[in-house]
Amino acid sequence: MPADVALLKEVPLFATLDDEERALLAAQLEEVHLRASEKVFSRGDPGGAIYIVSSGEVQISVEDTTGQVIVFETARRGDFFGELSLLDGDPRSADARAIQDTCALKVDRGDLQLLFQRHPSSAMDVLTAIGRRLREADKMLHSRPTLSPNEMVEERLTTIQRLADGLAAFSGTFTFMLLHAAWFAAWISINLGWVPGVHPFDPFPFGLLTMVVSLEAIFLSCFVLISQSRQAAKDRIRSDVEYEANIRAGMEVTQLHSKLDHLYAQTMARLDAVEKARHPTPPRPGNATSTPG
């Protein structure tokens, strides 16, 4: 029994066929050999066939708006992929890349239509595979973060970190300075006896005030350092995001340059062909064929 006929027995899509029908289908299939890291198709390519993995592995993935690759499935022996574009006629919705050296069978639209006409139940297997991939895609999209990196950091803050941020922000305000100026003025006035009816409790040189201010400075400096450490971490996250954005922008510009160069080369080739058609090169005199007189 041919190897591809035996492979079709392992594929749920063709499991209901008898041996004769599988042999007939296998005779029409095209065998595709792929090297490791070679693309089977890219997103946006026309979908004209599905592929059945005979050996090796193929990764089905898509790149999101942030440039990250979402892997939907890794197709191994007996798995098939590419059926969505073949059914609706739209361009490919994902990328397929061989992870290792791979051999696959290519089933075109005509072969699939013939299969559905003879065995309508096989269409349910295709729908099952599509549903499985849609569920995986939905699960991955729901599990991906929708918040910005800074918002994610804010959600993980502890009470001490929030307190440190609040105190650091307040200590740098004009209100903080005025409150301390009023506090020091009242303390010194009371303990110098300038306020009638109030007994001094911290006479000059105001040792208690010095201790209180020193303790405040120690704790406040600790909170400010904690807040600064968090701000430095947020700055690193922002720098990483900007770096990734710059890399993606550079890649887009490079792709645009490549497309423009390719378009320019095609345009020049067509103009050259039009110019040659309008002004054909006359034959050289030495190449003219003489007619005997």
Side-chain angles (χ1 to χ4, degrees), residues 27-84:
Q28 300 174 356
L29 301 184
E30 177 185 351
E31 197 171 49
V32 180
H33 296 276
L34 303 164
R35 297 186 300 272
S37 300
E38 183 178 354
K39 274 196 173 183
V40 186
F41 53 76
S42 299
R43 185 177 183 180
D45 290 348
I50 65 174
Y51 295 86
I52 303 171
V53 179
S54 176
S55 62
E57 294 182 353
V58 176
Q59 180 176 279
I60 315 300
S61 62
V62 67
E63 186 174 334
D64 64 8
T65 55
T66 64
Q68 297 182 356
V69 177
I70 306 175
V71 179
F72 289 147
E73 184 181 4
T74 300
R76 298 178 176 83
R77 176 178 172 84
D79 295 333
F80 60 93
F81 59 91
E83 70 284 348
L84 186 59

Side-chain angles (χ1 to χ4, degrees), residues 201-232:
F201 58 89
D202 185 24
F204 184 84
F206 315 117
L208 180 60
L209 176 63
T210 303
M211 183 186 69
V212 171
V213 172
S214 298
L215 291 175
E216 181 195 24
I218 292 173
F219 283 103
L220 188 60
S221 62
C222 292
F223 284 122
V224 170
L225 289 175
I226 293 173
S227 180
Q228 288 180 347
S229 298
R230 285 197 57 258
Q231 185 61 43

Side-chain angles (χ1 to χ4, degrees), residues 232-247:
K234 292 173 66 175
D235 291 339
R236 285 195 299 270
I237 294 175
R238 187 179 296 109
S239 299
D240 291 340
V241 172
E242 292 176 353
Y243 174 75
E244 292 178 0
N246 291 334
I247 291 295

